[in-house]
Amino acid sequence: MGSRSAEGEQSSLADDYDALISTTDVELLKRAWRNEKAAPEILRFESDLINRVKGQIELMEETVEEKLSVGSDPLSVSLYQMDLDRTLFLLRSYLRIRILKIEKYMFHIRKTQELWNRLSRDEKLFTERCTDDLKEHLESSVLSKLPENYQSYERQSVISEEDDMVPEPRLDTFVLCRSKEYLTGIQLEDGPVDDRSKLFEMEPDVLYFICYKSIKPLVESGKIDLL
Amino acid sequence: MAGQSNHELSLFSAEELEFIAEDEIVDIVPNLKMDPLCLISGDFGPFTPQIVTQVPLWLAIALRRRGKCSIVPPQWMTVDKLTEVLEAERNSQEMSEHLPFHYVEISRLLFDHARDNIPDAYMVRSLIEDIRDVRFHKVETDLEAFDGRTFAVKIKNLSAMEVNIVRPFIGRALQAFYKHDSSDLIPDPERVSDRRPQVAHNAPRRQLRR
């Protein structure tokens, strides 16, 4: 959980303690879910968190099972079941958004090391199979029948300078975000690089519509949340 | 470059917003005795008749449906408070900060499931609707003031539902400004070779609004 520890160093000890006792894994999962939903590109897979949540779900499933078999109060059993269902929904929804993104940008993800490293082991397997299948499909159904210069699944033709047939996420999408602390000196990667005068600050708990590209590092370090 | 913006993907549905709002904590007065619940989302209870305790909204509604508790409406959901808020909303272009982020969803859930627990329910409901209308009108007039010099929009105290409504519009509008503004994308046939210095020179000077 690199993002959490990095965040912890910044805030005071008291804040840390508060956050620790008030933040459950479900809260963290909800945050990861919202970020993943709002971000245009795929984010780092929260493997530790997901493992913990999975463990808790399994434990709770056993508890519910046990409570049913000893015939304890049906009301409390149904409440445990509801809690379980809510957590399951979050987990499923989180995993599904990631799969949607993978399906959309699979070629791009597979050839970009940085994105590839963000996937879980299962997601990597899935991406590999997906890209292989789609490539084979494109080749056998269309590309092999085209003239020689147009047979690449990545490029329109041999004269293309870049892989112009590979869908990429648009990082200049505008997203809505909120910071927990006062942040200053955010470099807005807006327009040309040489214009360094545009520094931006963010007040805590105020919503900003901003270009995803500019705040990408802050989302990755967990300093700001998307919503 | 074939990627499309994925707004459908990033939007939260009304149900998802409600789901998020259901985690807000409310006070309930149970009328049953029950041991504490050690849930994945936290520990709640113990439940003792007539002793106020705090639970997430979904739990409160589940108990309420079975007639096992009454829900104490949150402090902001009273005729007095809401009248004040409505007044404040009408008198200023700023958004009032006295409502929670999920006020629309919370009030709706409470009206659907615990109407009897809300004193002056009819008044409360119409006040909340008025507040919604006034606030949304303000958001709309704010949006009119948009121009191409905007690279980020700062919004104070906008609620979850309001955010969801304006998100597609603001997002796309800003993106369009961004696109048309970036000289990088405008090909200059005469100076293709030394494009960089020219870009720097024509850099759009944009300021943060409000």
Side-chain angles (χ1 to χ4, degrees):
Chain A
M1 297 301 314
S3 62
R4 274 167 75 215
S5 55
E7 193 180 283
E9 282 159 22
Q10 298 286 326
S11 51
S12 71
L13 273 173
D15 283 352
D16 247 15
Y17 182 69
D18 273 356
L20 207 68
I21 53 165
S22 65
T23 315
T24 60
D25 281 341
V26 176
E27 274 313 307
L28 293 172
L29 178 60
K30 202 157 68 175
R31 195 168 107 193
W33 172 67
R34 291 171 89 155
N35 282 347
E36 194 66 68
K37 255 176 114 63
E41 62 174 347
I42 197 156
L43 300 175
R44 195 172 52 83
F45 184 70
E46 300 273 357
S47 48
D48 293 351
L49 174 64
I50 298 303
N51 280 337
R52 289 203 303 274
V53 172
K54 274 186 183 161
Q56 287 179 31
I57 288 174
E58 271 165 33
L59 209 69
M60 191 54 83
E61 276 170 341
E62 281 167 26
T63 317
V64 170
E65 208 55 35
E66 196 186 299
K67 279 180 189 289
L68 274 175
S69 63
V70 298
S72 53
D73 176 24
L75 174 64
S76 79
V77 176
S78 76
L79 295 174
Y80 276 105
Q81 186 64 51
M82 279 180 85
D83 176 57
L84 187 60
D85 290 344
R86 289 177 66 85
T87 316
L88 277 170
F89 166 77
L90 267 185
L91 180 63
R92 286 197 193 110
S93 185
Y94 173 76
L95 297 173
R96 287 173 85 144
I97 303 158
R98 294 184 59 89
I99 288 183
L100 275 178
K101 286 188 185 172
I102 291 174
E103 285 181 341
K104 211 166 171 180
Y105 306 118
M106 51 185 151
F107 290 124
H108 178 64
I109 291 175
R110 192 160 175 189
K111 69 184 173 122
T112 315
Q113 197 59 37
E114 190 198 346
L115 297 178
W116 182 251
N117 291 338
R118 292 182 187 173
L119 304 187
S120 72
R121 219 181 39 152
D122 291 342
E123 285 169 345
K124 282 181 182 160
L125 214 64
F126 174 75
T127 316
E128 269 166 7
R129 292 183 52 183
C130 253
T131 46
D132 291 347
D133 288 352
L134 186 64
K135 197 173 150 219
E136 201 187 302
H137 171 67
L138 289 173
E139 276 165 359
S140 67
S141 61
V142 186
L143 294 169
S144 61
K145 299 177 177 66
L146 293 178
E148 214 177 302
N149 287 352
Y150 300 91
Q151 289 192 347
S152 161
Y153 71 98
E154 286 174 322
R155 297 177 181 204
Q156 286 198 43
S157 73
V158 282
I159 54 161
S160 301
E161 288 171 11
E162 49 187 16
D163 297 346
D164 50 5
M165 292 301 277
V166 175
E168 287 175 22
R170 296 196 43 173
L171 301 185
D172 57 358
T173 308
F174 277 76
V175 293
L176 197 76
C177 64
R178 182 164 53 183
S179 162
K180 275 157 287 187
E181 50 195 292
Y182 197 85
L183 297 173
T184 51
I186 301 170
Q187 178 72 53
L188 287 177
E189 284 178 41
D190 179 36
V193 217
D194 10 24
D195 197 353
R196 300 259 170 210
S197 58
K198 278 183 263 167
L199 286 181
F200 179 69
E201 43 191 53
M202 279 178 88
E203 296 167 41
D205 288 323
V206 176
L207 304 176
Y208 293 89
F209 261 109
I210 197 163
C211 188
Y212 176 73
K213 227 169 24 181
S214 320
I215 51 152
K216 192 167 123 83
L218 293 163
V219 175
E220 280 158 8
S221 65
K223 281 220 189 306
I224 56 179
D225 289 339
L226 302 179
L227 62 157
Chain B
M1 293 296 289
Q4 293 168 346
S5 66
N6 51 353
H7 287 282
E8 334 69 78
L9 214 88
S10 67
L11 270 178
F12 290 89
S13 69
E15 288 80 12
E16 283 168 338
L17 281 185
E18 208 167 274
F19 176 83
I20 299 169
E22 278 172 347
D23 280 333
E24 299 286 316
I25 301 293
V26 287
D27 284 354
I28 59 162
V29 184
N31 57 23
L32 86 167
K33 201 162 167 51
M34 189 167 64
D35 293 333
L37 298 167
C38 306
L39 306 175
I40 306 179
S41 49
D43 298 348
F44 302 101
F47 303 88
T48 317
Q50 303 310 317
I51 306 290
V52 175
T53 182
Q54 274 118 31
V55 294
L57 196 50
W58 65 265
L59 188 56
I61 292 169
L63 286 172
R64 166 75 207 169
R65 270 195 185 149
R66 293 167 177 79
K68 303 294 185 197
C69 77
S70 58
I71 301 176
V72 184
Q75 284 196 333
W76 56 268
M77 249 180 93
T78 57
V79 172
D80 287 352
K81 280 271 183 250
L82 289 171
T83 316
E84 267 173 47
V85 172
L86 181 60
E87 195 114 322
E89 293 283 4
R90 280 194 172 135
N91 290 336
S92 145
Q93 183 63 23
E94 294 269 303
M95 293 290 208
S96 157
E97 55 182 15
H98 298 290
L99 294 173
F101 189 56
H102 290 289
Y103 81 93
V104 178
E105 300 91 317
I106 297 175
S107 61
R108 222 198 99 168
L109 285 165
L110 289 179
F111 275 118
D112 285 355
H113 300 286
R115 206 186 162 83
D116 310 345
N117 295 148
I118 306 166
D120 310 310
Y122 184 77
M123 266 302 275
V124 169
R125 183 165 209 161
S126 77
L127 277 167
I128 290 179
E129 268 164 28
D130 288 350
I131 291 172
R132 256 177 80 161
D133 289 347
V134 175
R135 285 173 64 98
F136 199 69
H137 182 72
K138 283 200 278 195
V139 176
E140 276 178 344
T141 46
D142 265 1
L143 292 187
E144 281 173 22
F146 248 53
D147 63 23
R149 316 233 145 251
T150 315
F151 67 77
V153 176
K154 173 176 165 185
I155 320 163
K156 255 188 181 150
N157 307 319
L158 202 65
S159 82
M161 190 274 311
E162 289 153 357
V163 162
N164 227 20
I165 293 175
V166 297
R167 186 205 310 266
F169 175 76
I170 300 194
R172 296 240 289 277
L174 285 175
Q175 210 164 344
F177 283 142
Y178 179 85
K179 202 169 105 191
H180 296 305
D181 232 15
S182 91
S183 31
D184 216 13
L185 295 177
I186 304 167
D188 186 348
E190 284 171 36
R191 301 181 58 177
V192 182
S193 52
D194 57 352
R195 202 153 74 177
R196 280 204 71 83
Q198 204 222 341
V199 165
H201 198 246
N202 283 354
R205 304 264 160 206
R206 295 196 270 181
Q207 284 149 17
L208 177 61
R209 285 189 59 239
R210 294 208 288 144

